[in-house]
Amino acid sequence: MTAAPPIAGVSKAVQGKLDKLGLYAAADLLLHLPLRYQDETHIYPIGHAPLGQAVLVEGEIIDTNVQYRPRRTLVCRVEDGSGEMTLRLLNFYPSQIKQLSPGKRVRLFGEMRHGFLGMEMVHPQYRMVREDDPVAEALTPIYPTTAGLSQAVLRKLVLAALSGCDLTDTLPDDVLQPLNLPNFAESIAYLHQPPPDAPQALLAERTHPAWQRLKFDELLAQQLSMSLHYQRRRAQSAAAMPARHKLTKALLESLPFPLTRAQQRVTGELAGDLAHPHPMQRLLQGDVGSGKTVVAALAALQAIENGYQAAIMAPTEILAEQHFLKLSGWLAPLGLRVVWLAAGLPKKEKLAALEAIAAGAAQLAVGTHALFQDQVEFKKLGLAIIDEQHRFGVHQRLALRQKGAQPHQLMMSATPIPRTLSMSYYADLDVSVIDELPPGRTPVVTKLVGDSRRDEVVARVRDACLKGRQIYWVCPLIEESETLQLKTATETYETLATTFPELKVGLVHGRLNARDKAAAMDAFKTGEIQLLVATTVIEVGVDVPNASLMVIEHAERFGLSQLHQLRGRVGRGVAQSACILLYQTPLSETARARLKIIYENSDGFEIARHDLLLRGPGEFLGARQSGVPLLKIADIEQDFDLLEAARHAAEKLIVERPDVAERHLQRWLAGAEQYLKV
Ligand code: ADP
Ligand code: MG
């Protein structure tokens, strides 16, 4: 692709500022759209200027002086025949006293208000004019900018871009007409220079047809880019690993439960992908406890029965170890070797694991990010599985993939991605959803309890333990400081151990070494510990069916998906489970909203949808942000109809008019889409 021409006639310093706004080429300036507008097309008579809005007035200066009380202020009287007003400047240069001397004409733009001496404007924008200086013909755009880059400079550059750039429409009429969208040149000119009578409300809400057109264009570019990326990946080759129904069948026969219908369906989708000679990139979504692990195991076995190795990477040691235990339990009886790799592994064991992976003696490797470090060499990696994919950065995921020659990739997530997001930012991935929980789960009862009623909670915990149940006590999240969080966890542990002398209380947190962590988890699993005090290290994947009560302290500090994940640790057995969200008053408005959502909803997708509305897509994208063309103009929730229209249009254009697709991408992404890799 050819690089767009840079912005002409701009100093290095100004270009530095423009860089900060992502404006590198003249064409970028075109798409740098105003935040709002000022109406400087009409001069109001001073005597009749409306209050409460910014207005333009003009008059002759009849008096100028500097007052010293209460603050040093430059005060000018201005008059226009209809009335008089005062102009006040609190910070001014000596040169301004001269500039604003009596007899001169000045044009002011600002809000008129009642002052001590009648009407006044404080710190308006102003400019010296001659009689009959023309007023603006269009509304004045106010652009997003950065320190040191004035609106005037930006405006000048945008105007130059408008006249200097190619504004030819990238899209043919047969795409635009059915959607009632105006052409590109008109839309862009309108938004940068709306006529004086432009409907300001439609502009502000960004619902004006000109806005719609540009939003559509942006969404279309995103769809095209995602689709092309998808096609390119499908054009690459990877090992075909057809289902041979040997190991997979053996595992299914050994499981104490049948797969749910959703698990069967998804297993079939994965089996189909693996059989194709193209790299799979599938995102497997399933709410906490929906049974993703066994589905991953079946996919791994399909790779293994084709003579390949598989790897499963998890974001925490606790989770990786759980996977390891569960998977070795399933795979060892089939005569397979599963190895475990984590940072804290003793040297000798680590070497043995590395050797087994390199020699191909281990068919499955389970671990943390330690899996993709340099020393790790697979003999023949065919499938890379990444659990809780959103916890990993792009580079980590890429690194694991690079351990094989184009391995298939399965990403798993219990943080459901709302439909609008999977239609936009995730459109390049195939998605499978396990939308059913295994039978026999009892829904978790959620209770919101103010911190003043802590005693009741303590009584309830004691009661549950006496009935043979196990309990998680989750310590408050302290975002600013890990040390403080650790301290709180230790203190909570000590307090609870004193409160419940008759119970066995344990503690896990992120700073424990792997062995101690594993020991504590084991003790909890076997029932040796009844009350487990924990930080959010237990958030993902931990599976102890006998734990039926969870207390979360300072629940107001947690995010929605975190609360949902934590709550998913209980309700895994037959006993009625409960999750008590202890909160501290007063609650902020968003904290209140979050607690209400988690209280009212148990479905992860529903919670994620609310979360998206509360926080916007940025938080969901996490590591995905790099490489995916981010939307600056369109809003996937507000502009859902346009998103759907863009999706249809993209599908059609790619097949029928690849030249149009290319031209459109060129304008909107100028080559950026080449960098989409994950
Ligand atoms: P997640 O999707 O959260 O990773 P897991 O794979 O950890 O869920 O499964 C949660 C629990 O449900 C595990 O104990 C698992 O063995 C069990 N499980 C998985 N599938 C089924 C099923 N079809 N029927 C009964 N239990 C199942
Ligand atoms: Mg899991």
Side-chain angles (χ1 to χ4, degrees), residues 317 320-322 324 338-342 345 349 353 364-368:
E317 275 192 27
E321 179 163 33
Q322 284 211 350
F324 173 67
V338 183
V339 294
W340 153 253
L341 207 62
L345 211 58
E349 288 172 38
L364 178 64
V366 181
T368 56

Side-chain angles (χ1 to χ4, degrees), residues 288-289 291-293 319 323 387-388 412 414 540-542 569 572:
V288 272
K292 295 184 289 294
T293 320
L319 182 53
H323 280 335
D387 198 9
E388 305 297 339
M412 305 202 285
V540 287
V542 170
R569 302 303 116 215
R572 302 193 148 222

